[in-house]
Amino acid sequence: TYNNEEMDEVSKFIGVFSSIEKADIVIDYLITKPGFNKYLKENFIISLSKLNEYGWKEGFCSWGDAYEFQNKQ
């Protein structure tokens, strides 16, 4: 995850791995490649997930919707 020139947060989904160690190996490889090599390893986020689970169970909203909701509070 990083911020582009317009300060928008940008994320790239890299993959699903069976262990943190395997994900870390891929990150070490990717940070040598064009595009990825512009950013520190700290920009890569490893998230744990459970199989057969899903997110967004109550729906979703855009960043703009979330911003508007927060400003109404």
Side-chain angles (χ1 to χ4, degrees):
T1 301
Y2 64 95
N3 292 62
N4 64 13
E5 295 81 22
E6 292 82 28
M7 296 308 294
D8 297 321
E9 188 175 281
V10 179
S11 296
K12 304 277 188 240
F13 178 77
I14 294 171
V16 177
F17 303 94
S18 60
S19 70
I20 291 174
E21 293 77 17
K22 289 182 180 184
D24 206 41
I25 289 168
V26 170
I27 291 170
D28 288 338
Y29 171 76
L30 287 176
I31 59 175
T32 68
K33 300 300 175 193
F36 292 112
N37 63 0
K38 296 179 184 178
Y39 303 96
L40 299 173
K41 189 171 182 175
E42 290 77 32
N43 289 95
F44 290 80
I45 299 169
I46 298 174
S47 300
L48 300 179
S49 297
K50 292 182 180 181
L51 290 176
N52 303 317
E53 284 286 326
Y54 64 96
W56 306 102
K57 293 177 182 177
E58 296 180 24
F60 76 95
C61 65
S62 68
W63 284 112
D65 292 340
Y67 180 79
E68 287 179 24
F69 176 78
Q70 184 177 18
N71 287 330
K72 289 179 184 177
Q73 300 295 317

